[in-house]
Amino acid sequence: MPLHKSHSSYSVVEGRPFFEPIIMSEALIVTAIALPLFAGLLFLWLQKLEIRNLGLISSSIAFTSLICILFIWDTLPYNETLLVNIPWIPSIGVNISLIVDGLSLFFGIMVTGMGILVNIYANYYMDPNEEGLGRFYCCLTSFMGSMLGVIFSDNLILLYLFWEMTGIFSFLLIGYYRQDTLAANNARLAFMTTFLTGIFLFVAIILIGILDGTYLWSQIIEMGMNYTDHPFWSYLIMIFFLIAIFGKSVQLPFHFWLPKAMVAPIPVSSFLHAATMVKLGIFLTARFYPLFQTSEIWAPTVMVVCFSTMLFGAVLSLLANDLKELLAYATISQLGFFLGFYGLGGTAGVKYDFIHIFNHALYKGSLFMLVGIIQKATGIRDIRYLGGLWKHMPLVTVTCFLAAGSMAGIPGTTGFLSKELVLSDLFERDWHPGLYSIVLLLVATMIFKVAFSVRIFAHLFIRSPKGDKFKVNHPGYAIQISPFILSALAFIFGIWPAGLEMFTGSFFVSSLHLETTTSLQLLHGWKFETVVSIGILLFGVGLFLIAEKSNLWWHHHKIPDWGGFCDNNIERLTTFANRFTSFIHPDSQSIKVGLLLLGFVLAIFWPLSLETIPHENLIIHSVRLAISVFILFAVAAVTFFRLPMAKLLSLSISGFLLTLYFVYFLAPDLAITQLLVEVITLMILIMVFALASNRAAPRKIVLSTVPRVTLSVCVGIAAVSASWVFFQGGVDSGIDDFFISNALTLAKGKNLVNIILVDYRGLDTVGESAVLVIASMAIWSLLQVSTSPKVIKLIPSSILKPMITCFFWLVNIYALYLLLRGHNQPGGGFIAGLATGISFILLCMDTQTRDILSLSWFRAQKLAAIGLLLMIVVATTPFLLSKYMLTHYPWNIPTPLLFDIGVYFVVVSVTVGIYLSMRTRLSRRDPNAY
């Protein structure tokens, strides 16, 4: 490896609006992550269009990400770190912070490179006529984007977000065959294991943020982990990180989920469970190695757990008969070695770790694909009943020989170089009792690896099959391209060690790697490690021959399975969760609401007990007192009335009376809004009671009048007292002065309420509108709205009919007036939408409006989508023009009016759509019902 500067330097790239000149590296790294993350959704649409070769399209997405990463790799100076900071919510300091260094580039190239080959393989492996094929490629492509998100995240919160996304997509891919109960259960087991261990990662990240005051890895690595000042918390953070790492990289005692995950399609196993997801633990270990390796408990903890897992997996791999299960245990063993290797490293760093990881990705990815080819050609996956395949699949035979040879470590493969480097590293150390144990574990594991590697090749291709004869269908050469490329790379780099060292050495990270001046060679002469390496090969072949002679493979071995134990515990956890949910979320609505209100009272009274309720200058004006008394009587009546309709009317009266308060305090916007909200709420709730009237008799109310009244009074006192204490303390943020003084200059309007909703806090309005649309869509789906609502005649009066029509047009003219004046006078899109919604609900009562309601433009869902889209376009277009979001257009276009029109569409669609949904449901049940 050439000598270069040993200290990494940082170059920071700050984000900027689109369409401005930006640094190429920033655009490329964002594209590499975002493209597969969002492009995966396209496959759901492409399948509906019956487009073929979705795997090739998915591989082109992976290829684009790979090109972006390769360009950065080529332009980024050796041992330098690029920090990309893209503002997301800069007002609260939340940004999309990315880090590009040798570690992230190496894993990024490995993920995208494997993504290309796996997708090409999947294109010919998966049945093109499968119903869920679009869902498969959607999850597979989005998973790759999530992996890249973890790899390139500098912000640890962002890293955790992508970490959990990989678990979600893994769950969907393992359980791809949803009709298979075993696949669903094993997917759940894998997800629960990785998710629960991932919680420890989240807690550790939060603790790091508290101790260091930042969540940016680039800043944390400069501060380091202070084991002296905070020994307990530092050790706890490290242990929590290791739990998450062991869970994701299937180390004891979390190893059980990977063999269970072999129910997934072969491309999933090749990509997730051989080359990428299970290596996330390796990546996280390498990333945090400079932070944790100075702790005295790091090395013993990692080595004991991981080297035990290494030998455990190797033994079980030799005993397994299912090909995928065999490779799964071999993967567990090799992952244990990778993690234990970082435990062996000293404070100066490690050497050649990327060679070991790269070698494993080559041969294990190839072997998993070959298993799929053999299963597809023969219909058999049990190695005991296969043999003689070299006659039918010569290219598969050569490919498997190279892959299995690399796993065994025969000369001429990358596996041999990896094995030699491990032995050389061990024998160069100072010998002590602990090192003797490590060497024995490693040598024993390598012997087992040679044995099951020989078994794979010999049983599949050399020996004659011992079971019933089976038919072999030629798999075709297209499906063999990907595994052949991986095996060929293992051979090419195996005989060209200088090229392998040049490739992996270019990803040098000074805080992780130990720089060395020795060059990698095919043979280093006769040394002690050479003799040991030859002995490992001979003993491995001997172990295979002994097992073959004793007919070991035909015995049914009981492999320790902790998956059943975990399945039972998950069932117990589910039972406990259901019981706990029934306790805090009972069937009785009165108890449910009572518990919520009681929690509110307790939460409010506790801090209020430390405050003094102000009582001086208590002046109550006669008008306010009169309004309060009437509201009090109306609210009290709700508690004492028994008929639901009487309760509803009483509650509505209290709402109408509250309008007078807003009028008294000169708040016409709030007064009009309150009035219209009460009207439309009353109309919709009447329909709710009409729908519920034909249902079974309601349960007897558990809470009697006295507890209900007492709880209601306590809630009122708590709310009033909290408001009183808060406002008496005073709020001098200056934000009201800012709003008032900048209303004309920035927002170009005089109505402060509308300006706040449309300009100052327009992003909140967009979010609230989105929530409103989503909630209404749920209601529409629950009520099963038909495409052509059946409107029943409710008001046959010939006198009232023309009055409703006249009222409809008058109200909508007034709504248009409110919409147009909203930016300078009381009004706006929300108020106008409520008015139009009321007019349409009244119009729905007439049978003659059926043609109006069934017009193509009046589809509640489409209108809501149009309104929300219009709001988003108006809000984001200035951002695309290098201005802040919600900035007014420079061409005197009434931007607030366009935004208000979007709000208007959303409100009208939601109110009328919900009402029509209930009307349709009611008309189906009883055409004569009100």
Side-chain angles (χ1 to χ4, degrees):
M1 182 184 299
L3 286 173
H4 292 272
K5 54 187 178 183
S6 59
H7 298 285
S8 61
S9 58
Y10 289 84
S11 54
V12 181
V13 179
E14 294 290 343
R16 51 185 55 77
F18 293 150
F19 301 120
E20 274 191 25
I22 58 177
I23 295 178
M24 182 62 69
S25 297
E26 177 190 12
L28 290 175
I29 194 61
V30 173
T31 301
I33 299 172
L35 179 63
L37 197 60
F38 295 105
L41 298 174
L42 293 175
F43 291 98
L44 302 177
W45 174 64
L46 292 176
Q47 188 183 16
K48 292 182 179 179
L49 299 179
E50 298 183 354
I51 295 178
R52 314 288 286 185
N53 295 322
L54 295 181
L56 299 182
I57 299 175
S58 181
S59 65
S60 66
I61 296 174
F63 180 76
T64 304
S65 295
L66 176 62
I67 292 299
C68 294
I69 296 173
L70 288 176
F71 183 86
I72 300 173
W73 174 49
D74 182 62
T75 56
L76 187 68
Y78 176 84
N79 195 26
E80 276 204 10
T81 300
L82 173 67
L83 302 179
V84 179
N85 189 33
I86 302 174
W88 184 14
I89 311 177
S91 59
I92 59 175
V94 178
N95 300 319
I96 299 177
S97 301
L98 306 175
I99 182 171
V100 182
D101 61 354
L103 180 64
S104 57
L105 286 174
F106 170 76
F107 276 92
I109 291 173
M110 188 174 67
V111 168
T112 51
M114 284 296 301
I116 296 172
L117 298 177
V118 168
N119 279 289
I120 294 174
Y121 173 83
N123 187 74
Y124 302 102
Y125 178 85
M126 304 296 290
D127 185 356
N129 299 317
E130 284 189 31
E131 181 181 355
L133 198 60
R135 171 170 50 89
F136 173 82
Y137 285 109
C138 171
C139 294
L140 197 66
T141 305
S142 300
F143 169 81
M144 186 179 71
S146 303
M147 282 289 303
L148 295 175
V150 174
I151 292 167
F152 288 102
S153 291
D154 187 34
N155 189 310
L156 297 186
I157 298 294
L158 190 65
L159 181 148
Y160 174 75
L161 174 65
F162 284 118
W163 178 280
E164 292 301 334
M165 286 176 63
T166 61
I168 294 172
F169 288 119
S170 172
F171 165 76
L172 296 174
L173 289 168
I174 295 172
Y176 169 68
Y177 298 112
R178 293 181 292 186
Q179 68 278 7
D180 187 356
T181 304
L182 181 63
N185 291 336
N186 290 353
R188 182 186 65 171
L189 177 65
F191 176 74
M192 290 295 293
T193 305
T194 56
F195 172 74
L196 292 177
T197 54
I199 292 177
F200 288 91
L201 174 62
F202 179 71
V203 175
I205 289 173
I206 297 299
L207 291 176
I208 285 181
I210 294 173
L211 291 180
D212 288 343
T214 180
Y215 292 106
L216 297 181
W217 166 251
S218 54
Q219 297 177 8
I220 293 172
I221 188 62
E222 295 179 357
M223 300 178 186
M225 186 72 74
N226 194 335
Y227 294 98
T228 304
D229 296 341
H230 307 284
F232 173 77
W233 296 112
S234 300
Y235 295 144
L236 189 66
I237 289 171
M238 187 183 69
I239 295 299
F240 281 5
F241 262 96
L242 287 177
I243 291 175
I245 289 168
F246 294 161
K248 190 73 86 171
S249 291
V250 287
Q251 299 300 288
L252 291 172
F254 308 110
H255 68 284
F256 49 82
W257 71 262
L258 185 60
K260 297 281 186 179
M262 293 300 107
V263 295
I266 288 290
V268 175
S269 300
S270 302
F271 194 34
L272 277 67
H273 307 137
T276 56
M277 192 189 83
V278 291
K279 286 191 173 70
L280 270 185
I282 312 299
F283 166 79
L284 197 64
T285 304
R287 176 64 78 197
F288 279 83
Y289 176 82
L291 201 65
F292 294 146
Q293 49 85 21
T294 56
S295 171
E296 64 272 13
I297 67 172
W298 165 260
T301 304
V302 171
M303 286 192 291
V304 168
V305 174
C306 298
F307 285 143
S308 299
T309 306
M310 177 186 67
L311 182 60
F312 176 80
V315 173
L316 294 186
S317 183
L318 185 64
L319 299 177
N321 293 312
D322 183 275
L323 282 170
K324 287 189 72 176
E325 186 181 26
L326 188 156
L327 295 179
Y329 282 115
T331 302
I332 292 173
S333 174
Q334 198 65 18
L335 293 174
F337 162 71
F338 293 146
L339 290 171
F341 182 80
Y342 286 107
L344 280 173
T347 56
V350 296
K351 295 186 297 184
Y352 300 119
D353 55 333
F354 289 164
I355 290 180
H356 307 312
I357 298 171
F358 181 63
N359 166 59
H360 179 262
L362 293 179
Y363 74 73
K364 193 58 66 66
S366 176
L367 287 173
F368 266 111
M369 293 181 191
L370 292 174
V371 168
I373 293 174
I374 293 171
Q375 182 183 3
K376 203 172 185 66
T378 63
I380 302 173
R381 211 169 69 192
D382 194 318
I383 195 173
R384 295 172 296 179
Y385 304 102
L386 291 168
L389 296 179
W390 71 272
K391 302 175 183 177
H392 309 280
M393 296 182 284
L395 183 59
V396 170
T397 304
V398 174
T399 304
C400 187
F401 175 79
L402 294 176
S406 183
M407 183 164 62
I410 64 174
T413 63
T414 53
F416 175 76
L417 299 177
S418 174
K419 181 182 63 174
E420 293 295 302
L421 290 173
V422 171
L423 295 175
S424 298
D425 183 52
L426 288 176
F427 295 147
E428 288 174 0
R429 297 173 181 266
D430 296 330
W431 286 86
H432 54 82
L435 187 60
Y436 283 107
S437 302
I438 294 172
V439 170
L440 289 176
L441 285 174
L442 279 170
V443 170
T445 300
M446 291 178 180
I447 292 173
F448 277 100
K449 279 181 62 178
V450 172
F452 62 70
S453 299
V454 174
R455 182 193 178 196
I456 289 175
F457 186 76
H459 282 195
L460 291 179
F461 300 100
I462 298 178
R463 72 165 188 179
S464 299
K466 293 186 177 182
D468 296 334
K469 291 185 177 180
F470 53 86
K471 182 180 179 181
V472 180
N473 299 313
H474 191 276
Y477 290 105
I479 197 175
Q480 303 179 54
I481 293 175
S482 294
F484 178 75
I485 290 176
L486 291 173
S487 295
L489 288 175
F491 173 71
I492 292 171
F493 282 118
I495 61 176
W496 184 34
L500 178 62
E501 185 181 26
M502 188 185 307
F503 171 70
T504 57
S506 63
F507 303 107
F508 180 83
V509 180
S510 59
S511 58
L512 173 64
H513 295 129
L514 175 64
E515 203 154 15
T516 177
T517 56
T518 60
S519 58
L520 189 61
Q521 298 179 9
L522 186 59
L523 292 174
H524 291 271
W526 287 97
K527 297 182 180 179
F528 180 65
E529 52 263 30
T530 306
V531 176
V532 174
S533 178
I534 295 174
I536 289 172
L537 291 174
L538 295 176
F539 276 101
V541 174
L543 178 60
F544 164 75
L545 295 176
I546 293 173
E548 187 79 1
K549 190 175 182 62
S550 61
N551 210 17
L552 178 67
W553 323 118
W554 290 92
H555 293 272
H556 294 279
H557 303 284
K558 184 65 177 179
I559 296 179
D561 180 19
W562 290 11
F565 171 77
C566 296
D567 281 332
N568 294 334
N569 283 335
I570 290 177
E571 294 297 335
R572 294 189 184 98
L573 180 63
T574 304
T575 303
F576 170 77
N578 291 333
R579 292 177 179 175
F580 184 72
T581 302
S582 300
F583 173 74
I584 64 174
H585 194 71
D587 293 335
S588 173
Q589 295 297 325
S590 59
I591 293 181
K592 188 184 302 182
V593 175
L595 288 174
L596 291 174
L597 295 177
L598 181 61
F600 168 76
V601 170
L602 295 176
I604 291 296
F605 274 145
W606 172 255
L608 284 181
S609 63
L610 305 177
E611 299 285 346
T612 302
I613 305 297
H615 59 277
E616 62 274 4
N617 300 325
L618 184 59
I619 301 176
I620 301 179
H621 298 282
S622 57
V623 177
R624 294 166 57 188
L625 180 60
I627 297 173
S628 301
V629 171
F630 284 122
I631 293 176
L632 180 61
F633 276 112
V635 173
V638 178
T639 307
F640 291 98
F641 283 144
R642 293 192 176 276
L643 294 177
M645 194 60 67
K647 291 176 177 289
L648 174 61
L649 292 175
S650 180
L651 187 63
S652 296
I653 291 172
S654 66
F656 287 126
L657 290 172
L658 188 61
T659 305
L660 300 177
Y661 248 110
F662 297 133
V663 174
Y664 179 81
F665 283 104
L666 303 178
D669 283 275
L670 299 180
I672 298 174
T673 303
Q674 176 69 21
L675 182 64
L676 296 178
V677 166
E678 286 298 332
V679 172
I680 205 163
T681 302
L682 180 62
M683 290 179 169
I684 293 178
L685 286 179
I686 288 174
M687 292 303 303
V688 172
F689 283 119
L691 280 172
S693 61
N694 290 333
R695 298 177 63 184
R699 297 187 178 186
K700 183 179 179 180
I701 296 177
V702 179
L703 294 178
S704 61
T705 302
V706 175
R708 282 186 286 144
V709 172
T710 304
L711 184 58
S712 301
V713 171
C714 291
V715 171
I717 294 175
V720 172
S721 302
S723 303
W724 206 336
V725 169
F726 177 77
F727 285 109
Q728 287 294 326
V731 180
D732 187 19
S733 63
I735 192 170
D736 50 348
D737 296 332
F738 174 82
F739 285 162
I740 295 172
S741 60
N742 292 279
L744 285 174
T745 56
L746 295 181
K748 299 179 177 60
K750 300 177 182 179
N751 182 7
L752 197 58
V753 174
N754 186 263
I755 287 172
I756 292 174
L757 295 176
V758 174
D759 285 274
Y760 291 130
R761 303 196 64 175
L763 193 60
D764 289 348
T765 305
V766 174
E768 292 161 3
S769 300
V771 172
L772 193 63
V773 171
I774 293 171
S776 60
M777 289 176 65
I779 296 174
W780 293 332
S781 62
L782 288 174
L783 294 175
Q784 299 178 356
V785 184
S786 63
T787 55
S788 297
K790 177 184 177 182
V791 181
I792 57 177
K793 185 176 180 180
L794 293 178
I795 305 178
S797 173
S798 59
I799 298 176
L800 201 55
K801 187 184 304 182
M803 293 179 61
I804 291 178
T805 305
C806 181
F807 180 79
F808 172 81
W809 292 111
L810 289 175
V811 170
N812 276 283
I813 292 172
Y814 179 63
L816 181 62
Y817 171 69
L818 291 173
L819 177 64
L820 295 176
R821 76 195 291 259
H823 207 54
N824 293 287
Q825 300 293 332
F830 186 80
I831 297 175
L834 291 175
T836 300
I838 293 172
S839 70
F840 269 104
I841 290 175
L842 287 175
L843 196 63
C844 288
M845 296 180 180
D846 186 5
T847 309
Q848 303 301 321
T849 62
R850 179 180 304 175
D851 294 335
I852 296 177
L853 295 176
S854 60
L855 288 174
S856 60
W857 63 268
F858 192 81
R859 291 289 185 269
Q861 298 93 330
K862 294 181 180 179
L863 190 64
I866 292 172
L868 189 59
L869 181 62
L870 180 60
M871 296 171 63
I872 295 174
V873 169
V874 173
T876 57
T877 300
F879 176 71
L880 300 177
L881 299 175
S882 303
K883 298 180 181 297
Y884 291 107
M885 293 180 65
L886 296 163
T887 302
H888 285 252
Y889 288 109
W891 310 294
N892 296 321
I893 296 178
T895 309
L897 178 59
L898 295 177
F899 192 87
D900 261 340
I901 291 174
V903 176
Y904 172 82
F905 284 162
V906 169
V907 174
V908 171
S909 65
V910 170
T911 53
V912 180
I914 292 176
Y915 182 84
L916 284 178
S917 303
M918 292 187 289
R919 280 288 305 276
T920 305
R921 183 68 173 268
L922 184 61
S923 64
R924 290 172 181 168
R925 178 183 299 167
D926 184 4
N928 298 315
Y930 181 77

